Structure formats: C-alpha cells, structure tokens
Amino acid sequence: MRFPHHRPRVWAVSAVVAVASLTTTAALMPQAGAAAGRTAAAAAAPQLIASTVEDEGANCPVSPGQTPSNAKLPDPFTTSDGTRITTTADWQCRREEIKRQAEATVYGTKPARPSSVTGTVSRTGITVNVSDQGRSASFSASVDLPSGTGPFPAVIVLGGLGADTATIKASGAAIINFDPTTVGKEGTPRSSKQGAFYSIYGSSSSTGLLMAWSWGVSRIIDVIQSADGSVIKKDAAGVTGCSRYGKGAFVAGAFDQRIALTMPIESGSGGTDAFRSIPTESGSQPLSSAYSEQPWLGDAFGSYTGNPAGLPVDTHEIVGMVAPRGMFVMENPHVDWLGAKSGSVAALGGAEVFKALGAGSNISYWSDVADGTHCAVRPEWKAPLQASIQKFLLGTGSAPAVFRVAPSKAGDLASWRTWTTPTLTDGGTSSGTSTGTSTGTSTGTSTGTSTGTSTGTSTGTSTGTSTGTSTGTTGGGTGGCTATFTLVNSWTGGYQAEVAVRDSGTTALSSWRVGMTLASGQTVTSLWNGVNSGTSGAVTVSNAPYNGTVAPGASTTFGFTAGGNATPPTALTCTGS
C-alpha cells in the first residue's frame, strides 16, 4: 500500500479473467517426502522450525471446484468438500488447498521451482540466474552483515523498507536488501507486466506483483541453499517489508515454508487485512482501490472486489499458512487507510491455526503504538523483534508470544466466525475445541506452557505453565450474562488475560458490563474490545460500541494486560441488558 498522498499513476486495466475456486475431491494425504524434509531440518537445527522445501504439500490431491459464498470468515479446518480435519497430517494438505484457492482467486499462480536456478552469495551481495520454459532472467540483492565472522541468519528486506534493520543486525542477523520491482515492476498495465518474473512467464500473466515478488524471494533462498553456507545460513531466513512491501513480505512468508520468520508491517488492504472486514471499516482502503492502484493482486481478484464473501479464502487463512513458523505482524492504528482493525481480525483468526498446531506462542501481533507516522521505527516493537530473531533465526531464547491490539482498532473475531478451533493431533482424533475471540497464545480454559516477553519495551522473560479461569454469572435486563476469565500469558511483573462474555439467557444482549476486583498491586496497562472504568482494585469493563450485541448462546471477548503478579481477579460478575 502506498500512502494516499503518494499514490502513483493508475494505468488502464485489461479485461479480467475469472478463475474458479478450488475444492478437494480426494482424501487429503501428505506429500511423500515432506515429513522427511522437515525431519531433516530438525536434525540439522533442532531449535528451528522452517522446512527444507518450499511447498511441503505440493503433491496433495487438490482439485478445482466451487465453494459457496460465505459472509463470515471461512473455516480453516474444513476442506471444500466439507471434511473436518483432525490431525497435523490433515493440515498439511488443507494448507495446500488454501494455497491453491488463494492463487486462483487472490494472487495468481506461483510457478513451481524453475528448471534452473544458479547464483552466488558473497559478503556484499547475492546474484540470481533463473531459466525456465526456455526463457531466462537475472536479478540481484545486496548483503549487509552484522559484526562477527558468520555464517549468519538473514532477513530479506523488501524495497529497503521493513523492520528496524539496526535492531536486526544488532540481534545477529544479516540484511538482504531486495528490490522486488526488479522481478515485478510497478506502474505497468496488467496486460503488459514487466520484470524478471514476467520475462519468463509472460507479460500477460494473470499473476500479480505480490506473488511475483514472493517468487523472487524464493529464488534468493534457492541460491542461499545451494551456496556453501559460509556467509549466510541455509536454514534461517526471515522476510519483512512495510506498506506495499509489507504486502509482499506477507505473501512471501506464506508461500515459502523455508522462511522461518515473517514480519509484515502496515500492509493494509491486499496485505494482512481481512478482505471481508475491510468494507465494514470506515476509511480503510477499498478492495477496488487496492486492486487498481497497482497490479499487486492477481487479475482474478477483480471479480471479488465488490463481493469478498464470494472468495473461498480470506487472509486469516493466509496467516495460518505461515504456521507453525514464526510470525510478527506490526500495524499502525493511527491511519484509517491502513485498516488496522481488519488486520487484527485476520491475525486473531490466523492465530487459531497456530494454536491448533500447538504453536500458539509462535505468532505475535502489535498495533498498540504511539507514533502514527507511516513505516516509522517504533520503540514498542524493539523487544519483540529481538526476541523473534533470537527464537526463529538463531534458535535461542523464547518467542515474544504477545498480542497488543490498539483499543481504537480492535477487531472482534467472535463476530466473524461460526467455527471452532480443534487441537490437531499426530494421531487421528481431535482432542478438544476452543471458541470465542483469542488475543493471546491460548483460549478458553486450555492448559499449556507459555513463554513470552513483557509488553512495551521491557525485555524480561518468564517460562512456565500459565492457566486460570474464574467465572461469575448474574441475570440482567433481557438476558443472562456469564463472564469467564482466562490467563493467557505471564511474565515477571505482568500478565495478559482474556475475558469471555457469554449470553447465557434466551434473548440477545444489547449491552454488557463485567465487574472484577484485581489483586493488590495489579494495574491494567492496556485493554481492547471493551471500555474500562478504573485500572486497579474494583474495575468495570463495558462493551465497546461494536460488540455489545451478543446472541443467545454466543460470546464475545475483551482482553487486557496488567502489571503485577498473575493472580486471577476476584468478584467476577457480568450484567447484561
């Protein structure tokens, strides 16, 4: 996304060819050898989780078909033929189905690895030479190494605009500066796209620039993998970008399973923002604008700009494609055009996939920032950025495992989904479900080990088992109301929690209010999806303007962080009207 006042020239758009969505007509089966590839990666670097192959599900039997229109976010855990997945092996092919649906309707096809990819890796640069289908193209990227002898993990920075490069280098990772416009040039009509990708696959290719950029990132990784590993590590790549380059980083990380850490920043419409949510968010860039501003999205997406409910996928599932690898989504709530509320909806939805795979701590999200400058380097992001690099690229320390959602742009996942989240097993059965909106690394009354850094710019960490529920029920107005407290994450000097508000009556609530008494020394430091009165002692939280209505049997949630010990609040009550 470019800022509105930096909008480039808009070119004429050729006719759009609609592409059918996908379905599965055969049983989902894992790709032969994919598990072995991941096993080999684990043997080489047991603390890293990236794959050794670009697409583990390439051989999954996924076939074209139709998917019914759905105004809610599609269920990531149900295949197009209605099969509910229950195992991690099922997810591998479900992910492939989502991938191909996204290619067919959103981004355009990412071709399989070319027949020939060669190049060089030095301490100052990378060269890439690609040949496929009788055509060839070349491009390059520069390398900026941290202090030390190496070899180093590396973060590929799109367009020179992404996460704080000084912090990345200080954390021990190299910077690979990649100009994605060399493989997919902006300012071209859809009928005559230019760049290395289109030199090989044709200027009239229906694949958009974002997928072309993703292809370029993958070819850089091909060269790194084929090098001797003396400069850049072969199995520890990250990707980042801001604004339109944030869109590209998001797509690159989702579509290449060799990328260990994906860090999109302020990517907006066409990036992480949920397509179905964008039209409901005042001031956010319309889908039609994101489609026409540049040929970023695939040609087929033009058929859905006015009907996102017709898409077989949404961006929460693209976020889910990154799982269980590392992800840190950064957003700016101060610029309406960037649609941070829709971004939080997608991040919360995608986090459910991470949780289902037992990797809930591997995704972090942060939009609660003070500086509204587009693509600014923000102090709030420094600690989780450092932790993410250490965990996912260096294989040390703990993931930040934090969700900091700006109250002004907080999405409500409960209002966007009708599905529950299974716990995918290595066997053949599901071991549980969770419901409601999640803002952390666990939901409901689940029990698990949480590891994370404190919020803000604190760097303290704590590892341990964090659980806890407390419920209170009162009748009120036209319906009953139940509040359930869940401790999501804790660290030295603070914790993160979620409160689920459920309509336990027979008539819909139009508003709700939760009361609770915090333990001595506890203070609320941030709160989302609600409006609080008081920050210590007796605290009351009322619904936000957008989540007061709760249907009988349904629920919504609010979350908060607090300083102090992690003792659950007492005197928890809920009143609905």
Side-chain angles (χ1 to χ4, degrees):
M1 170 177 301
R2 291 182 183 271
F3 233 27
H5 56 278
H6 292 306
R7 191 181 305 280
R9 178 180 177 185
V10 178
W11 294 79
V13 179
S14 61
V16 175
V17 179
V19 179
S21 58
L22 304 178
T23 189
T24 301
T25 58
L28 297 180
M29 296 294 291
Q31 175 190 1
R38 188 173 290 278
T39 301
Q47 291 182 298
L48 301 178
I49 57 173
S51 177
T52 58
V53 296
E54 184 175 347
D55 179 16
E56 291 185 346
N59 292 338
C60 288
V62 179
S63 302
Q66 296 294 327
T67 300
S69 181
N70 184 1
K72 302 287 188 179
L73 295 180
D75 182 358
F77 308 106
T78 298
T79 66
S80 294
D81 67 355
T83 302
R84 180 76 167 172
I85 68 171
T86 58
T87 70
T88 53
D90 289 343
W91 169 251
Q92 182 168 281
C93 286
R94 172 59 180 144
R95 179 190 178 279
E96 183 68 19
E97 181 180 52
I98 292 169
K99 171 186 176 290
R100 297 191 199 179
Q101 289 174 328
E103 288 179 321
T105 59
V106 180
Y107 304 112
T109 299
K110 181 182 183 183
R113 179 169 174 159
S115 57
S116 174
V117 181
T118 61
T120 61
V121 176
S122 74
R123 297 182 69 86
T124 58
I126 296 174
T127 63
V128 182
N129 307 300
V130 183
S131 296
D132 200 21
Q133 302 180 9
R135 298 177 180 178
S136 299
S138 300
F139 58 95
S140 62
S142 65
V143 173
D144 185 8
L145 299 178
S147 59
T149 58
F152 304 99
V155 176
I156 301 171
V157 181
L158 273 62
L161 197 64
D164 178 15
T165 54
T167 296
I168 293 172
K169 288 180 62 180
S171 300
I175 300 295
I176 298 175
N177 284 302
F178 169 49
D179 179 2
T181 64
T182 59
V183 298
K185 185 178 179 181
E186 294 182 310
T188 62
R190 288 186 176 275
S191 58
S192 184
K193 302 184 185 78
Q194 299 173 28
F197 178 91
Y198 301 102
S199 294
I200 295 176
Y201 300 107
S203 61
S204 61
S205 168
S206 61
T207 296
L209 299 184
L210 300 183
M211 189 63 85
W213 298 352
S214 169
W215 174 89
V217 170
S218 293
R219 306 294 69 86
I220 290 173
I221 294 174
D222 289 343
V223 172
I224 292 172
Q225 284 190 321
S226 64
D228 63 10
S230 62
V231 179
I232 303 296
K233 290 184 176 181
K234 299 185 179 187
D235 58 357
V239 64
T240 188
C242 186
S243 197
R244 65 195 190 278
Y245 299 135
K247 304 180 201 296
F250 174 49
V251 177
F255 283 81
D256 194 326
Q257 291 178 277
R258 297 172 297 180
I259 294 174
L261 177 60
T262 302
M263 298 184 290
I265 304 173
E266 301 180 43
S267 59
S269 183
T272 57
D273 290 3
F275 296 128
R276 286 163 171 80
S277 173
I278 289 170
T280 71
E281 186 173 358
S282 177
S284 60
Q285 184 180 26
L287 297 176
S288 58
S289 173
Y291 177 77
S292 62
E293 182 175 342
Q294 292 284 348
W296 292 319
L297 296 159
D299 293 357
F301 189 73
S303 300
Y304 299 96
T305 57
N307 179 33
L311 285 166
V313 295
D314 213 313
T315 54
H316 68 299
E317 294 172 297
I318 314 302
V319 170
M321 285 176 59
V322 178
R325 296 169 288 132
M327 190 169 197
F328 180 23
V329 180
M330 291 160 270
E331 293 202 294
N332 180 356
H334 300 284
V335 181
D336 289 345
W337 190 253
L338 297 171
K341 181 178 179 180
S342 297
S344 72
V345 169
L348 290 166
E352 297 302 303
V353 176
F354 280 79
K355 293 174 195 173
L357 293 171
S361 63
N362 288 0
I363 180 172
S364 288
Y365 175 92
W366 201 306
S367 64
D368 189 12
V369 295
D371 186 353
T373 306
H374 189 41
C375 293
V377 173
R378 295 181 170 84
E380 295 99 328
W381 294 340
K382 184 173 182 178
L385 174 59
Q386 290 172 321
S388 294
I389 292 169
Q390 290 165 0
K391 171 65 176 178
F392 301 111
L393 299 186
L394 294 169
T396 62
S398 303
V402 62
F403 262 69
R404 284 288 298 269
V405 184
S408 62
K409 295 289 184 179
D412 179 17
L413 178 59
S415 66
W416 282 103
R417 70 165 174 173
T418 57
W419 40 271
T420 58
T421 302
T423 300
L424 302 178
T425 68
D426 290 330
T429 60
S430 172
S431 61
T433 61
S434 65
T435 60
T437 302
S438 166
T439 54
T441 59
S442 64
T443 60
T445 58
S446 63
T447 301
T449 299
S450 72
T451 304
T453 46
S454 62
T455 57
T457 56
S458 170
T459 58
T461 62
S462 173
T463 303
T465 301
S466 296
T467 62
T469 61
S470 177
T471 62
T473 306
T474 65
T478 59
C481 176
T482 302
T484 303
F485 172 92
T486 300
L487 179 63
V488 172
N489 197 5
S490 64
W491 53 87
T492 302
Y495 68 92
Q496 179 180 340
E498 175 180 280
V499 176
V501 178
R502 184 177 184 274
D503 183 349
S504 56
T506 59
T507 306
L509 299 176
S510 60
S511 65
W512 50 263
R513 185 173 68 257
V514 171
M516 56 186 175
T517 301
L518 300 185
S520 176
Q522 292 182 356
T523 302
V524 173
T525 54
S526 67
L527 187 141
W528 52 94
N529 288 354
V531 179
N532 60 300
S533 174
T535 58
S536 61
V539 175
T540 299
V541 180
S542 301
N543 60 271
Y546 52 82
N547 66 350
T549 301
V550 184
S555 64
T556 187
T557 64
F558 68 87
F560 66 94
T561 57
N565 61 55
T567 303
T570 58
L572 190 68
T573 62
C574 185
T575 303
S577 61

